[in-house]
Amino acid sequence: MKILSLESSCDETAAAVVEDGRKVLSSVVASQVEEHKLYGGVVPEIASRRHTEAICGVTREALEQAGLSLADVDGIAVTYAPGLIGALLVGVNFAKGLSFAAGKPLIPVNHLRGHIAANYIAHKELEPPFLCLVVSGGHTHILEVKDYTDFTVIGRTRDDAAGETFDKAARTLGFDYPGGIHLDRVSKQGNPCAYAFPRPKLDTPYDFSFSGLKTSVINLVHNASQKGQNLVVEDVAASFQDTVTEILCDTLMRAAQQLGYRTIVVAGGVSANSALRLKLKRACAQRGFELYVPPLNLCGDNAAMIGAQAYYEYRSGNTAGLDLNASANMEINR
Ligand code: KG4
Ligand code: ZN
């Protein structure tokens, strides 16, 4: 089954063709990041307008690269939630038009399910059940993936998402949006033990809270500048990154041990972080767990991951009518 998939939930307009959930026939991503950089973050209205301009060309290119016409695909998949509502609506409406015109089934895909499915593309042997950490710009979840379309969230952030925390700390240290990748790079030259940042104590076992950590980076930088002191940016970055990735890794390992999972999957933009990948690799090797992370080109937003998940949604009977709407805040298990 060949699925044409579309993604427009944030600042990437993407289209792909994926066969049977695992084989990418084409994948095209048009990023708007250079424009949003000017404002230090994604400006929702600009995002919607750029998606409107780009989506037709990106879709045409994805079909061309796959050597297919619209008539050759067996379904149209689209990210319908969660994300920026105006941005999502561009993809949803475009997908509806294609589905109507070509007479193909319309398959709605939750963006976070898509991030997890990026691993199915890269790791052909991977199948649920497994324990999964989703770390993106907007979400930080630990979930039990019981089947391809059966998810239970067992932990989540109570405030900022991991990616958001990276981006805010990076901005405080003077880096462009999105700053996660810059912090990752400069941390390689820094001392991760230079600063002790707080680790929150929560009364639920697998939840996260990153706002205190974010505030302490901001306070450190502001206090130093008020006193005219110079901070070693690489040391602050490395200490911050070490704290975030240690919290993520420790919590995930504890959950796996307590719930009896031996297969661990990581997904979302922050899964590109080199310190997180290294910590998880070591921790999983120590415990004899199998670790799956997406290749770097599938960590961030793309449509191939949406096409991968769409195959399993279709198999479970999850198609939509032409009254499909977008949703900014949909839970992954709904
Ligand atoms: O999954 P994603 O592409 O978009 C959302 O669905 O949110 O995640 C984007 C997030 C941004 O916060 C970005 O800074 C972060 O992923 N990110 C990283 C790295 N690469 C991307 N964070 C830390 N280290 C990285 N190497
Ligand atoms: Zn994403």
Side-chain angles (χ1 to χ4, degrees), residues 7 9-10 111-112 115 136-137 268-269 299-302 305:
E7 154 65 40
S9 67
C10 190
H111 183 76
L112 300 182
H115 271 301
S136 71
C299 289
D301 289 348
N302 65 85
M305 67 187 199

Side-chain angles (χ1 to χ4, degrees), residues 307-325:
Q309 180 61 23
Y311 173 70
Y312 297 102
E313 298 291 343
Y314 183 80
R315 280 202 338 190
S316 300
N318 298 337
T319 56
L322 291 176
D323 57 351
L324 174 68
N325 205 343

Side-chain angles (χ1 to χ4, degrees), residues 41-317:
V42 179
V43 182
E45 182 171 337
I46 293 177
S48 310
R49 289 170 185 266
R50 296 296 165 262
H51 287 310
T52 304
E53 289 163 3
I55 199 158
C56 203
V58 161
T59 304
R60 202 170 264 148
E61 208 176 316
L63 284 169
E64 257 171 42
Q65 282 185 16
L68 300 170
S69 72
L70 193 54
D72 301 322
V73 301
D74 306 297
I76 312 289
V78 64
T79 305
Y80 78 112
L84 300 171
I85 192 66
L88 288 164
L89 281 168
V90 175
V92 166
N93 273 316
F94 189 75
K96 281 197 213 182
L98 289 182
S99 159
F100 181 63
K104 309 284 180 182
L106 179 63
I107 311 163
V109 177
N110 179 297
H111 183 76
L112 300 182
R113 292 188 184 196
H115 271 301
I116 298 168
N119 284 285
Y120 301 142
I121 295 170
H123 311 292
K124 307 290 182 225
E125 71 285 11
L126 176 65
E127 288 177 1
F130 51 78
L131 190 70
C132 184
L133 172 71
V134 178
V135 267
S136 71
H139 295 84
T140 305
H141 284 356
I142 296 181
L143 334 116
E144 292 182 80
V145 181
K146 295 177 175 160
D147 205 341
Y148 289 102
T149 56
D150 184 357
F151 305 82
T152 305
V153 178
I154 60 160
R156 63 172 71 226
T157 182
R158 295 192 182 173
D159 38 58
D160 294 357
E164 194 181 351
T165 314
F166 264 100
D167 294 343
K168 285 179 179 161
R171 190 174 172 168
T172 308
L173 292 170
F175 295 103
D176 275 347
Y177 172 84
I181 193 165
H182 301 302
L183 282 196
D184 190 350
R185 180 175 38 82
V186 300
S187 290
K188 295 193 168 87
Q189 269 83 53
N191 173 8
C193 304
Y195 297 93
F197 288 118
R199 292 181 55 140
K201 298 254 182 305
L202 302 176
D203 51 8
T204 43
Y206 313 128
D207 282 342
F208 302 99
S209 167
F210 293 115
S211 71
L213 175 58
K214 173 191 72 186
T215 307
S216 68
V217 175
I218 294 172
N219 288 345
L220 176 74
V221 173
H222 286 176
N223 288 342
S225 100
Q226 274 167 1
K227 290 179 190 154
Q229 294 168 341
N230 280 331
L231 285 173
V232 182
V233 169
E234 291 81 359
D235 286 350
V236 181
S239 303
F240 162 83
Q241 176 175 271
D242 190 63
T243 311
V244 176
T245 53
E246 197 170 280
I247 292 169
L248 291 170
C249 183
D250 288 355
T251 312
L252 184 61
M253 289 303 110
R254 190 159 17 89
Q257 223 127 25
Q258 290 175 351
L259 300 172
Y261 282 92
R262 306 189 64 78
T263 305
I264 309 297
V265 174
V266 190
V270 183
S271 62
N273 184 266
S274 59
L276 181 63
R277 290 167 90 100
L278 189 64
K279 276 201 173 70
L280 288 170
K281 196 174 156 189
R282 284 190 186 139
C284 285
Q286 266 171 15
R287 294 165 176 81
F289 294 168
E290 206 72 59
L291 173 68
Y292 294 92
V293 290
L296 293 181
N297 67 326
L298 288 174
C299 289
D301 289 348
N302 65 85
M305 67 187 199
I306 302 303
Q309 180 61 23
Y311 173 70
Y312 297 102
E313 298 291 343
Y314 183 80
R315 280 202 338 190
S316 300

